[in-house]
Amino acid sequence: MDFPDDAFGDPYDVHALPLRRPAQGYAVQMLDTDTLLDRHCGKFLPVRANALDALFPDFASAHAAAAAWTRAHCQRADEHRLAIVPASFDPVLERHVLIYGVLCQQP
């Protein structure tokens, strides 16, 4: 399966976004959930999971991880429910933060 650059959302520079709360990196979110793709185990974990390490340094690496997950778990490229989103880590709460909250697959 090949994935165009915008398969998981339009490519963007997280540092150029006009956000109220600054993002520290890119995360792969399962739509309709508060789960993010862990960079090490390749599973989706809740943002409150202590073991979660979900911040990718750039859009390209988040895209590659989303594509790899989709290849392993979906029979068709369009079956995924993934989006690359801006995210951060809150050291006080000790958890990842979804800058836009839980994104829905359907408006």
Side-chain angles (χ1 to χ4, degrees):
M1 281 184 242
D2 290 328
F3 298 92
D5 289 345
D6 64 353
F8 308 104
D10 291 328
Y12 58 92
D13 177 355
V14 75
H15 303 293
L17 295 176
L19 302 171
R20 291 178 144 234
R21 183 178 193 152
Q24 297 169 327
Y26 303 81
V28 179
Q29 181 180 8
M30 177 71 70
L31 296 174
D32 295 316
T33 74
D34 70 345
T35 61
L36 299 175
L37 184 62
D38 184 84
R39 295 183 324 131
H40 303 290
C41 73
K43 296 179 182 177
F44 281 88
L45 302 174
V47 293
R48 289 179 174 83
N50 290 336
L52 179 62
D53 182 356
L55 296 180
F56 292 89
D58 52 51
F59 192 92
S61 56
H63 185 279
W69 186 91
T70 302
R71 284 186 194 97
H73 294 92
C74 300
Q75 291 191 11
R76 295 188 341 251
D78 63 349
E79 286 181 330
H80 74 81
R81 295 180 13 233
L82 309 181
I84 298 173
V85 298
S88 64
F89 184 82
D90 187 318
V92 175
L93 296 175
E94 296 182 349
R95 70 177 187 97
H96 288 73
V97 176
L98 294 168
I99 304 295
Y100 294 142
V102 174
L103 296 180
C104 298
Q105 186 173 6
Q106 299 292 326

